[in-house]
Amino acid sequence: MSASAVEVPQVAQAPQIAEVPLVPVFVRLKLSLLRNGLKGSSKRKAAYFSSLAVAVVVAFFTTVGLALLRGDDHAGTIVVLLAAILALGWTFMPLFFPSGDETLDPSRLVMLPLRPRPLVRALLVSSLVGIGPLFTLCLAVGSVIAVARGAAGVVAAVLAVPLLILGCAALARAVATANVRLLTSRKGRDLALLSGLVIAVGAQVANFAGQRLFVAGGLTLLEPVEEVVRWLPPATAVGMVDSASEGAYLRALAQLVLTVGALVLLLRFWERGLTKLMVSPDGSTVAASGPAKERGTGGGFWSLLPDGRTSAAMRRTLRYAVRDPKTKAAWVTSLAIGLIVPVFNALQGTGSVYLACFGAGMLGVQMYNQFGQDTSAFWMVAQTITSTRDAYTELRARAFALALVTVPYTVVVTVVTAALVGDWAALPAALGLGLALLGSMLCTGSLASARFPYSIPTDGAFKNVVPGQGALAWMGIVGGMLAASVISAPVIALTVYFAVTDDPGLSWTVLPLGVVWGTLAAWAGLRLAAPTVARKLPEILQAVSKG
């Protein structure tokens, strides 16, 4: 048989698998996540549909209100600034609420054979599904209706609405991708816990700005700001509509180019972030493979603390305030609100130097439920408490750690408030009253920690009491605050007397009296609480370990 007659078997070629478009797949995935998130929980369904209803109602009335601005002289200023506020909201909401959209975490897709560019398109389109995009669409439509005039304005409006929504979505995705390691770490959870503080501060700033605008001359003061913001994407999309309606076609064209260019740059930045995320190891892997760092246990600030159990308990308390998310949120909120209330009232012209005592009261609350702040880790501390003296030393160290921050803070806030109000004569009395109130709250906080301990759940950013212990929390905090006001009543009465008689010659005596009174009150509270802690230690341990 000749060689040419030998038949060589043909190897069958594997069929080529057609590439599936990612956009419809990710849209269906987003809808499935929304649908599955509502299954099996009536509370989730109620929360979602109530949020949807509120968003639709607010968006409807806001859209109608914006449309009614059509023809107003300040319509352009309002809608351009509104577009900038929308962009800021889309930028920072993923940092504060990373769990609100599970598709914001692209690290879950790193093991899939997906190329970054198609993935960007799919994630961008899927991010337009939800309550937030619907609300943004309504505001965008209302904004362009308010300023669109003429054929050129209508054409610009048709382009502006999708550009604004895509710009906001791309901005949110790019920021979330760049910070995805942060969002999935402990620091990311800290940001979520501190979001309430940011909202509270933002509300105070908005209230103050609104009052200043009403008094000083209205929206005319915002026109210089609007002239700058209209050149910042994606607010340039709405600025383009206003410019085209006014006949400034070159300016409208420049704003269109700026909007499209910024969107393209955001998408490229987002794509690079996705590529880096998919090919680079995370911080935990790098840290595990690298050499271990040696950390000293002494020196620096810690060397200034007293030795023994007191130093150890103070370090533990201060480190909880820095590292534990819920403790950190409570501390930062108290520090911020305690400063905001007197300062903003002083800036509005309705302040008083005695409002600085509000900060002392906010921080004094941190002494309540001291053992519950340790959660289940308190059992390790409980093993070291074998006598009343041990209990007293533990409570005293916690009070020292609190006073280490609250006393200088009270002094600074009182001095700042007195400077803003211009009432230096009342500074000694206000400072003495604040320190007396702080010492009284340390007293009642120690007693409440011993008699009304409760557990703080570790899950849930806004859950501070486990079910069934709400009454204990209210009895300890509200009752303790009322008792603190009674304990500091003599100092309050003396301060009121000097304020009513308008005799500044002796008002300075409230300062040393407040220092002595607050110190004695705190000492008495620690002495009275220590025997209770030593006697009821098993009950306290059981109460704080229910979370």
Coordinates of all heavy atoms in Angstrom, one line a residue, residues 206-290:
A206 N -26.8 73.2 55.5 CA -27.8 73.6 54.6 C -28.8 74.6 55.3 O -29.2 75.6 54.7 CB -28.6 72.4 54.1
N207 N -29.1 74.3 56.5 CA -30.0 75.2 57.3 C -29.4 76.6 57.5 O -30.0 77.6 57.3 CB -30.4 74.6 58.6 CG -31.3 75.4 59.5 OD1 -32.2 76.1 58.9 ND2 -31.0 75.5 60.8
F208 N -28.1 76.6 57.8 CA -27.4 77.8 58.1 C -27.3 78.6 56.8 O -27.5 79.8 56.7 CB -26.0 77.6 58.6 CG -25.2 78.8 58.8 CD1 -25.5 79.8 59.7 CD2 -24.1 79.0 58.0 CE1 -24.7 80.9 59.9 CE2 -23.3 80.1 58.1 CZ -23.6 81.1 59.1
A209 N -27.0 77.9 55.7 CA -26.8 78.6 54.4 C -28.1 79.2 53.9 O -28.2 80.3 53.4 CB -26.2 77.6 53.4
G210 N -29.2 78.4 54.1 CA -30.5 78.9 53.7 C -31.0 80.1 54.5 O -31.5 81.1 53.9
Q211 N -30.7 80.1 55.8 CA -31.0 81.3 56.5 C -30.2 82.5 56.1 O -30.7 83.7 56.0 CB -30.8 81.0 58.0 CG -31.8 80.0 58.6 CD -31.6 79.8 60.1 OE1 -30.9 80.5 60.7 NE2 -32.4 78.9 60.7
R212 N -28.9 82.3 55.9 CA -28.1 83.4 55.4 C -28.5 84.0 54.1 O -28.5 85.2 53.8 CB -26.6 82.9 55.3 CG -26.0 82.5 56.7 CD -25.8 83.7 57.6 NE -24.8 84.6 57.1 CZ -24.5 85.7 57.7 NH1 -25.1 86.1 58.8 NH2 -23.5 86.5 57.2
L213 N -28.9 83.1 53.2 CA -29.4 83.5 51.9 C -30.7 84.3 52.0 O -30.9 85.3 51.3 CB -29.6 82.3 50.9 CG -28.4 81.6 50.4 CD1 -28.8 80.4 49.6 CD2 -27.6 82.6 49.5
F214 N -31.6 83.9 52.9 CA -32.9 84.5 53.1 C -32.7 85.9 53.6 O -33.4 86.9 53.3 CB -33.8 83.7 54.0 CG -35.1 84.3 54.2 CD1 -36.1 84.3 53.3 CD2 -35.4 85.0 55.4 CE1 -37.4 84.8 53.5 CE2 -36.6 85.6 55.7 CZ -37.6 85.5 54.7
V215 N -31.7 86.1 54.5 CA -31.5 87.4 55.2 C -30.7 88.3 54.3 O -30.9 89.5 54.2 CB -30.7 87.2 56.5 CG1 -30.3 88.5 57.1 CG2 -31.6 86.4 57.5
A216 N -29.7 87.7 53.6 CA -28.7 88.6 52.9 C -29.1 89.0 51.4 O -28.4 89.7 50.8 CB -27.4 87.9 52.8
G217 N -30.2 88.4 50.9 CA -30.5 88.9 49.6 C -30.9 87.8 48.6 O -31.0 88.1 47.4
G218 N -31.1 86.6 49.0 CA -31.6 85.5 48.2 C -30.6 84.9 47.2 O -29.4 84.9 47.5
L219 N -31.2 84.4 46.1 CA -30.4 83.6 45.2 C -29.4 84.4 44.4 O -28.6 83.8 43.7 CB -31.4 82.9 44.2 CG -32.3 81.8 44.9 CD1 -33.3 81.3 43.9 CD2 -31.5 80.7 45.5
T220 N -29.5 85.7 44.5 CA -28.5 86.5 43.8 C -27.1 86.2 44.3 O -26.1 86.3 43.5 CB -28.8 88.0 44.0 OG1 -30.2 88.2 43.6 CG2 -27.9 88.9 43.1
L221 N -26.9 85.9 45.5 CA -25.6 85.5 46.1 C -25.0 84.3 45.5 O -23.8 84.1 45.5 CB -25.7 85.4 47.6 CG -26.1 86.7 48.4 CD1 -26.2 86.4 49.9 CD2 -25.0 87.8 48.2
L222 N -25.9 83.4 45.0 CA -25.4 82.1 44.4 C -24.9 82.2 43.0 O -24.4 81.3 42.4 CB -26.5 81.1 44.5 CG -26.8 80.6 45.9 CD1 -28.0 79.6 45.9 CD2 -25.6 80.1 46.7
E223 N -25.2 83.3 42.3 CA -24.9 83.5 40.9 C -23.4 83.4 40.6 O -23.0 82.7 39.7 CB -25.4 84.8 40.3 CG -27.0 84.8 40.3 CD -27.5 86.1 39.7 OE1 -26.7 87.0 39.4 OE2 -28.7 86.2 39.5
P224 N -22.5 83.9 41.5 CA -21.0 83.7 41.2 C -20.6 82.2 41.3 O -19.8 81.7 40.6 CB -20.4 84.6 42.3 CG -21.4 85.6 42.6 CD -22.7 84.9 42.5
V225 N -21.3 81.5 42.3 CA -21.0 80.1 42.4 C -21.5 79.3 41.2 O -20.8 78.5 40.7 CB -21.6 79.6 43.7 CG1 -21.3 78.1 43.9 CG2 -21.1 80.4 44.9
E226 N -22.7 79.7 40.7 CA -23.2 79.0 39.6 C -22.4 79.3 38.3 O -22.2 78.4 37.5 CB -24.6 79.5 39.4 CG -25.4 78.8 38.2 CD -25.3 79.6 36.9 OE1 -25.0 80.8 37.0 OE2 -25.5 79.0 35.9
E227 N -21.8 80.4 38.2 CA -20.9 80.7 37.0 C -19.7 79.8 37.0 O -19.2 79.5 35.9 CB -20.5 82.2 37.1 CG -21.6 83.2 36.8 CD -22.1 83.1 35.4 OE1 -21.4 82.6 34.5 OE2 -23.3 83.4 35.2
V228 N -19.3 79.3 38.1 CA -18.2 78.4 38.2 C -18.7 77.0 38.0 O -18.1 76.2 37.3 CB -17.4 78.5 39.5 CG1 -16.3 77.5 39.6 CG2 -16.8 79.9 39.6
V229 N -19.7 76.6 38.7 CA -20.2 75.2 38.7 C -20.7 74.8 37.3 O -20.6 73.6 36.9 CB -21.4 75.1 39.7 CG1 -22.1 73.7 39.6 CG2 -20.8 75.3 41.1
R230 N -21.2 75.8 36.5 CA -21.7 75.4 35.2 C -20.6 74.9 34.2 O -20.9 74.4 33.2 CB -22.5 76.6 34.5 CG -21.6 77.8 34.2 CD -22.4 78.7 33.2 NE -23.6 79.1 33.7 CZ -24.8 79.0 33.1 NH1 -24.8 78.3 31.9 NH2 -25.9 79.4 33.6
W231 N -19.4 75.1 34.6 CA -18.3 74.6 33.8 C -17.6 73.3 34.5 O -16.6 72.9 34.0 CB -17.2 75.6 33.7 CG -17.7 76.8 32.8 CD1 -18.1 78.0 33.2 CD2 -17.7 76.8 31.4 NE1 -18.5 78.8 32.2 CE2 -18.2 78.1 31.0 CE3 -17.4 75.9 30.4 CZ2 -18.4 78.4 29.7 CZ3 -17.6 76.2 29.1 CH2 -18.1 77.5 28.7
L232 N -18.3 72.7 35.5 CA -17.8 71.5 36.1 C -18.7 70.4 35.7 O -19.9 70.4 36.1 CB -17.8 71.7 37.6 CG -16.9 72.8 38.2 CD1 -17.1 72.9 39.7 CD2 -15.5 72.6 37.8
P233 N -18.2 69.4 35.0 CA -19.1 68.2 34.6 C -19.5 67.4 35.8 O -18.7 67.4 36.8 CB -18.2 67.4 33.7 CG -17.1 68.3 33.3 CD -16.9 69.3 34.4
P234 N -20.7 66.8 35.8 CA -21.7 66.8 34.7 C -22.7 67.9 34.8 O -23.6 67.9 34.0 CB -22.3 65.4 34.9 CG -22.3 65.2 36.4 CD -21.0 65.8 36.9
A235 N -22.5 68.9 35.7 CA -23.4 70.0 35.7 C -23.3 70.8 34.4 O -24.3 71.6 34.1 CB -23.1 70.9 36.9
T236 N -22.3 70.6 33.6 CA -22.2 71.3 32.3 C -23.3 70.9 31.4 O -23.6 71.7 30.4 CB -20.8 71.0 31.7 OG1 -20.6 69.6 31.8 CG2 -19.7 71.7 32.4
A237 N -23.8 69.7 31.6 CA -24.9 69.3 30.7 C -26.1 70.2 30.8 O -26.7 70.6 29.8 CB -25.3 67.9 31.0
V238 N -26.5 70.6 32.1 CA -27.6 71.5 32.3 C -27.2 72.9 31.9 O -28.0 73.7 31.3 CB -28.1 71.4 33.7 CG1 -29.2 72.4 34.0 CG2 -28.5 70.0 34.1
G239 N -26.0 73.3 32.2 CA -25.5 74.6 31.7 C -25.5 74.7 30.2 O -25.8 75.8 29.7
M240 N -25.3 73.7 29.5 CA -25.4 73.7 28.0 C -26.8 74.0 27.6 O -27.0 74.8 26.6 CB -25.0 72.3 27.5 CG -25.2 72.1 26.0 SD -24.9 70.4 25.5 CE -26.2 69.6 26.3
V241 N -27.8 73.5 28.2 CA -29.2 73.8 27.8 C -29.5 75.3 28.1 O -30.1 76.0 27.2 CB -30.2 72.9 28.6 CG1 -31.6 73.2 28.3 CG2 -29.9 71.5 28.4
D242 N -29.0 75.8 29.2 CA -29.3 77.2 29.5 C -28.5 78.1 28.5 O -29.1 79.1 28.0 CB -28.8 77.5 30.9 CG -29.2 78.9 31.4 OD1 -30.3 79.4 30.9 OD2 -28.5 79.5 32.2
S243 N -27.3 77.8 28.1 CA -26.5 78.6 27.2 C -27.2 78.5 25.8 O -27.3 79.6 25.1 CB -25.1 78.0 27.1 OG -24.5 78.1 28.4
A244 N -27.6 77.3 25.3 CA -28.3 77.2 24.0 C -29.6 78.0 24.0 O -29.9 78.6 23.0 CB -28.5 75.8 23.7
S245 N -30.3 78.0 25.1 CA -31.6 78.8 25.1 C -31.3 80.3 25.1 O -32.2 81.0 24.6 CB -32.3 78.4 26.4 OG -32.6 77.0 26.5
E246 N -30.2 80.7 25.6 CA -29.9 82.1 25.5 C -29.2 82.6 24.2 O -28.9 83.8 24.0 CB -28.9 82.5 26.7 CG -29.6 82.3 28.1 CD -28.6 82.6 29.2 OE1 -27.4 82.8 28.9 OE2 -29.0 82.6 30.4
G247 N -29.0 81.6 23.3 CA -28.4 81.9 22.0 C -26.8 81.9 22.1 O -26.2 82.3 21.1
A248 N -26.2 81.5 23.2 CA -24.8 81.5 23.3 C -24.3 80.1 22.8 O -24.0 79.2 23.6 CB -24.3 81.7 24.7
Y249 N -24.4 79.9 21.4 CA -24.1 78.6 20.9 C -22.7 78.1 21.0 O -22.4 76.9 21.2 CB -24.5 78.6 19.4 CG -26.0 79.0 19.2 CD1 -26.3 80.1 18.4 CD2 -27.0 78.3 19.8 CE1 -27.6 80.4 18.2 CE2 -28.3 78.6 19.6 CZ -28.6 79.7 18.8 OH -29.9 80.1 18.6
L250 N -21.7 79.0 20.9 CA -20.3 78.6 21.1 C -20.1 78.1 22.6 O -19.4 77.1 22.8 CB -19.4 79.7 20.8 CG -19.3 80.1 19.3 CD1 -18.4 81.3 19.1 CD2 -18.8 78.9 18.5
R251 N -20.7 78.8 23.5 CA -20.6 78.4 24.9 C -21.2 77.1 25.1 O -20.7 76.2 25.8 CB -21.1 79.5 25.8 CG -20.9 79.2 27.3 CD -21.4 80.4 28.2 NE -22.8 80.6 28.1 CZ -23.5 81.6 28.6 NH1 -22.8 82.5 29.2 NH2 -24.8 81.6 28.5
A252 N -22.4 76.9 24.5 CA -23.1 75.6 24.6 C -22.3 74.5 24.0 O -22.2 73.4 24.6 CB -24.5 75.7 24.0
L253 N -21.7 74.8 22.9 CA -20.9 73.7 22.2 C -19.7 73.4 23.1 O -19.3 72.2 23.2 CB -20.4 74.2 20.9 CG -19.5 73.2 20.1 CD1 -20.3 72.0 19.8 CD2 -19.1 73.9 18.7
A254 N -19.1 74.4 23.7 CA -17.9 74.1 24.6 C -18.3 73.3 25.8 O -17.6 72.4 26.2 CB -17.3 75.4 25.0
Q255 N -19.5 73.6 26.3 CA -20.0 72.8 27.5 C -20.4 71.4 27.1 O -20.2 70.4 27.8 CB -21.2 73.5 28.1 CG -20.8 74.8 28.8 CD -22.0 75.6 29.2 OE1 -23.1 75.6 28.6 NE2 -21.9 76.3 30.3
L256 N -20.9 71.2 25.8 CA -21.1 69.8 25.3 C -19.9 69.0 25.2 O -19.8 67.9 25.6 CB -21.9 69.9 24.0 CG -22.1 68.6 23.3 CD1 -23.0 67.7 24.1 CD2 -22.8 68.9 21.9
V257 N -18.8 69.7 24.6 CA -17.6 69.0 24.4 C -17.0 68.6 25.8 O -16.4 67.5 26.0 CB -16.6 69.9 23.6 CG1 -15.2 69.3 23.6 CG2 -17.1 70.0 22.2
L258 N -17.1 69.6 26.8 CA -16.5 69.3 28.1 C -17.3 68.2 28.8 O -16.7 67.3 29.4 CB -16.6 70.6 28.9 CG -16.0 70.6 30.3 CD1 -14.5 70.3 30.2 CD2 -16.2 71.9 31.0
T259 N -18.6 68.1 28.6 CA -19.4 67.0 29.2 C -19.1 65.7 28.6 O -18.8 64.7 29.4 CB -20.9 67.3 29.0 OG1 -21.2 68.6 29.5 CG2 -21.7 66.3 29.7
V260 N -19.0 65.6 27.3 CA -18.7 64.3 26.6 C -17.3 63.9 27.0 O -17.0 62.7 27.2 CB -18.9 64.4 25.1 CG1 -18.5 63.2 24.4 CG2 -20.4 64.7 24.8
G261 N -16.3 64.9 26.9 CA -14.9 64.6 27.3 C -14.8 64.1 28.7 O -14.0 63.1 28.9
A262 N -15.4 64.7 29.6 CA -15.4 64.2 31.0 C -16.0 62.8 31.2 O -15.4 62.0 31.9 CB -16.1 65.2 31.9
L263 N -17.0 62.5 30.4 CA -17.6 61.2 30.5 C -16.7 60.2 29.9 O -16.5 59.1 30.5 CB -19.0 61.2 29.7 CG -19.7 59.9 29.7 CD1 -20.0 59.4 31.1 CD2 -21.0 60.0 28.8
V264 N -16.0 60.5 28.8 CA -15.1 59.5 28.2 C -13.9 59.3 29.2 O -13.4 58.2 29.4 CB -14.6 60.1 26.9 CG1 -13.4 59.2 26.3 CG2 -15.7 60.1 25.9
L265 N -13.4 60.4 29.8 CA -12.3 60.2 30.7 C -12.7 59.4 32.0 O -11.9 58.6 32.5 CB -11.8 61.6 31.2 CG -11.0 62.4 30.1 CD1 -10.7 63.8 30.7 CD2 -9.8 61.7 29.7
L266 N -13.9 59.6 32.4 CA -14.4 58.8 33.6 C -14.5 57.3 33.2 O -14.1 56.5 34.0 CB -15.8 59.3 34.0 CG -15.8 60.4 35.0 CD1 -17.3 60.9 35.3 CD2 -15.2 60.0 36.3
L267 N -15.0 57.0 32.0 CA -15.1 55.6 31.6 C -13.7 55.0 31.5 O -13.5 53.8 31.8 CB -15.8 55.6 30.3 CG -17.3 56.0 30.4 CD1 -18.0 55.9 29.0 CD2 -18.1 55.1 31.3
R268 N -12.7 55.8 30.9 CA -11.4 55.3 30.8 C -10.7 55.0 32.2 O -10.1 54.0 32.5 CB -10.5 56.2 30.0 CG -10.9 56.3 28.6 CD -10.7 55.0 27.8 NE -9.3 54.6 27.9 CZ -8.4 54.9 27.0 NH1 -8.6 55.8 26.0 NH2 -7.1 54.5 27.1
F269 N -11.0 56.0 33.1 CA -10.5 55.8 34.5 C -11.1 54.6 35.2 O -10.4 53.8 35.9 CB -10.8 57.1 35.3 CG -10.4 57.0 36.7 CD1 -9.1 57.1 37.1 CD2 -11.4 56.8 37.7 CE1 -8.7 57.0 38.5 CE2 -11.1 56.8 39.0 CZ -9.7 56.8 39.4
W270 N -12.4 54.4 34.9 CA -13.1 53.3 35.5 C -12.6 52.0 34.9 O -12.4 51.0 35.6 CB -14.6 53.4 35.2 CG -15.5 52.4 35.7 CD1 -15.1 51.4 36.6 CD2 -16.8 52.1 35.3 NE1 -16.2 50.6 36.9 CE2 -17.3 51.0 36.1 CE3 -17.7 52.7 34.5 CZ2 -18.6 50.5 36.0 CZ3 -19.0 52.2 34.4 CH2 -19.4 51.1 35.1
E271 N -12.3 52.0 33.6 CA -11.8 50.8 32.9 C -10.4 50.4 33.5 O -10.1 49.2 33.7 CB -11.7 51.0 31.4 CG -11.2 49.8 30.7 CD -11.1 50.1 29.2 OE1 -11.7 51.1 28.7 OE2 -10.5 49.2 28.4
R272 N -9.6 51.4 33.7 CA -8.2 51.2 34.2 C -8.4 50.6 35.7 O -7.6 49.7 36.1 CB -7.4 52.4 34.2 CG -7.0 52.9 32.8 CD -6.1 54.1 32.9 NE -4.8 53.8 33.6 CZ -3.9 54.7 33.9 NH1 -4.1 55.9 33.5 NH2 -2.8 54.3 34.6
G273 N -9.3 51.2 36.4 CA -9.5 50.7 37.8 C -10.0 49.2 37.8 O -9.5 48.4 38.6
L274 N -10.8 48.9 36.9 CA -11.3 47.5 36.8 C -10.1 46.5 36.4 O -10.0 45.4 36.9 CB -12.4 47.3 35.7 CG -13.8 47.7 36.2 CD1 -14.8 47.6 35.0 CD2 -14.3 46.8 37.3
T275 N -9.3 47.0 35.4 CA -8.2 46.2 35.0 C -7.2 46.0 36.2 O -6.7 44.8 36.4 CB -7.4 46.9 33.9 OG1 -8.4 47.1 32.8 CG2 -6.3 46.0 33.3
K276 N -6.9 47.0 36.9 CA -6.0 46.9 38.1 C -6.6 46.0 39.1 O -5.9 45.2 39.8 CB -5.7 48.3 38.6 CG -4.8 48.3 39.8 CD -4.5 49.7 40.3 CE -3.6 49.7 41.5 NZ -3.4 51.1 42.1
L277 N -7.9 46.1 39.3 CA -8.6 45.3 40.4 C -8.5 43.8 40.0 O -8.4 42.9 40.9 CB -10.0 45.7 40.5 CG -10.9 45.0 41.6 CD1 -10.4 45.3 42.9 CD2 -12.3 45.4 41.4
M278 N -8.6 43.5 38.7 CA -8.7 42.1 38.3 C -7.3 41.4 38.2 O -7.2 40.2 38.3 CB -9.3 42.0 36.9 CG -10.8 42.3 36.9 SD -11.5 42.2 35.2 CE -13.2 42.4 35.6
V279 N -6.2 42.2 38.1 CA -4.9 41.6 38.0 C -4.0 41.8 39.2 O -2.9 41.2 39.2 CB -4.2 42.1 36.7 CG1 -5.0 41.8 35.5 CG2 -3.9 43.6 36.8
S280 N -4.4 42.6 40.1 CA -3.5 42.9 41.3 C -4.0 42.3 42.5 O -5.2 42.2 42.7 CB -3.3 44.4 41.5 OG -4.6 45.0 41.8
P281 N -3.1 41.8 43.4 CA -3.6 41.2 44.7 C -4.1 42.3 45.6 O -3.8 43.4 45.5 CB -2.3 40.5 45.2 CG -1.2 41.3 44.7 CD -1.7 41.8 43.3
D282 N -5.0 41.8 46.6 CA -5.5 42.8 47.5 C -4.5 43.0 48.7 O -3.5 42.3 48.8 CB -6.9 42.4 48.0 CG -6.8 41.0 48.7 OD1 -5.7 40.5 48.9 OD2 -7.9 40.5 49.1
G283 N -4.8 43.9 49.6 CA -3.9 44.2 50.7 C -3.7 43.1 51.6 O -2.6 43.0 52.2
S284 N -4.7 42.3 51.8 CA -4.6 41.2 52.8 C -3.6 40.2 52.3 O -2.8 39.6 53.0 CB -5.9 40.5 53.0 OG -6.4 40.0 51.8
T285 N -3.5 39.9 51.0 CA -2.6 39.0 50.4 C -1.1 39.5 50.5 O -0.2 38.8 50.9 CB -2.9 38.7 48.9 OG1 -4.2 38.2 48.8 CG2 -2.0 37.6 48.4
V286 N -1.0 40.8 50.2 CA 0.3 41.4 50.3 C 0.8 41.5 51.7 O 2.0 41.2 52.0 CB 0.3 42.9 49.7 CG1 1.6 43.6 49.9 CG2 -0.1 42.8 48.2
A287 N -0.1 41.8 52.7 CA 0.3 41.8 54.1 C 0.7 40.4 54.6 O 1.6 40.3 55.4 CB -0.8 42.4 54.9
A288 N 0.0 39.4 54.1 CA 0.3 38.1 54.6 C 1.6 37.6 54.1 O 2.3 36.8 54.7 CB -0.9 37.1 54.1
S289 N 2.0 38.0 52.8 CA 3.2 37.5 52.3 C 4.4 38.4 52.7 O 5.6 37.9 52.5 CB 3.2 37.5 50.7 OG 2.9 38.9 50.3
G290 N 4.2 39.5 53.3 CA 5.3 40.4 53.7 C 5.7 40.1 55.1 O 5.1 39.4 55.8

